[in-house]
Amino acid sequence: VLPALNMSISTGTIDLGDLTAGVASVGSLFLEIGTNAKDGVSITARSQSGGLTNTDDGAVQINELTTDGVAENYTWASTINGTDDSSNGAYVAENTTGDALSAATEVSDNTTEYNVYTTNKAEATNLVDDVEFIVSATSTAETPAGEYEDFVTFTVTGNF
């Protein structure tokens, strides 16, 4: 049997809209995994810029750091679907290993690999989204106006 590892993402963009000072703007996407990896899979996420970065001035970011003079909030979290895709009774899915996203986690660097989803057994692709990836940003009254973006790299590892 050849190894199989598939992932689909519900959308290529999370649009947080226009941020309002002091109010969290939240958006998400869904990930679906299918694999015959005996020991399951791991999905991690890494920010490519360490925050929501102003598209006109890369030194201005929305995150908890004050490098640009203002500290805001930029967090990631993940929520696992209560219905799993595995027929194996010993199957376990979690998001609490290492740098976990089971609770909102501040993102302020481009090196940390945050654990989005980990399983211990194979699972089918049955169009039931396995995990929701949630992004939240909160600006302040002093956050510079402009367009902001971050690109997220998801890494999926089959544990064959």
Side-chain angles (χ1 to χ4, degrees), residues 5-70:
L5 178 60
N6 302 297
M7 180 182 83
S8 62
I9 301 175
S10 63
T11 183
T13 304
I14 298 174
D15 185 353
L16 299 178
D18 293 330
L19 302 185
T20 301
V23 178
S25 293
V26 181
S28 67
L29 57 77
F30 295 89
L31 304 168
E32 167 63 19
I33 297 294
T35 185
N36 62 355
K38 177 179 68 76
D39 295 323
V41 298
S42 298
I43 302 175
T44 60
R46 181 178 50 81
S47 168
Q48 289 187 9
S49 62
L52 286 176
T53 302
N54 187 294
T55 58
D56 291 327
D57 183 351
V60 176
Q61 291 187 309
I62 295 175
N63 60 25
E64 68 182 338
L65 302 178
T66 58
T67 308
D68 61 2
V70 183

Side-chain angles (χ1 to χ4, degrees), residues 73-152:
N73 292 97
Y74 177 53
T75 63
W76 292 351
S78 64
T79 302
I80 295 171
N81 189 332
T83 304
D84 64 60
D85 295 348
S86 182
S87 59
N88 189 318
Y91 173 88
V92 175
E94 63 182 4
N95 56 352
T96 57
T97 305
D99 287 308
L101 291 176
S102 56
T105 302
E106 288 284 346
V107 176
S108 57
D109 68 59
N110 63 356
T111 58
T112 302
E113 295 281 342
Y114 295 96
N115 183 37
V116 175
Y117 180 72
T118 302
T119 66
N120 66 339
K121 302 292 179 192
E123 62 185 286
T125 302
N126 65 6
L127 305 179
V128 174
D129 294 323
D130 295 312
V131 62
E132 180 180 15
F133 178 75
I134 305 157
V135 175
S136 176
T138 306
S139 63
T140 71
E142 298 176 15
T143 301
E147 298 287 324
Y148 289 80
E149 67 183 9
D150 188 14
F151 293 92
V152 179

